[in-house]
Amino acid sequence: MAVPKSKVSKARRDKRRSNVWKLPMPAFSKCTQCGELKAPHKVCPHCGYYKDVEVIKKDA
């Protein structure tokens, strides 16, 4: 059976439990045309615009 060789210090234990290693939330930005949230540097999935230019034709 596995048994710890020595005590794990509070600092080492807390470092392991900290949020430092967790992934950050994905970034979102508002579309300049429709105002919906979208991924930055991507075409808006709602209206099809990117940098005030219609890239994908979307029906209203």
Side-chain angles (χ1 to χ4, degrees):
M1 185 172 161
V3 178
K5 190 93 169 174
S6 59
K7 177 183 176 179
V8 176
S9 69
K10 292 173 196 161
R12 193 184 264 307
R13 177 200 66 201
D14 293 345
K15 221 185 297 184
R16 184 181 66 242
R17 292 179 182 174
S18 73
N19 289 326
V20 174
W21 59 274
K22 293 184 180 172
L23 291 173
M25 270 189 64
F28 288 108
S29 61
K30 277 195 173 182
C31 177
T32 54
Q33 291 292 320
C34 63
E36 293 283 335
L37 290 178
K38 66 174 191 69
H41 308 288
K42 303 276 192 274
V43 176
C44 178
H46 303 284
C47 64
Y49 275 78
Y50 178 70
K51 289 190 177 179
D52 300 328
V53 177
E54 189 174 13
V55 180
I56 301 170
K57 273 280 199 220
K58 293 277 186 170
D59 295 330

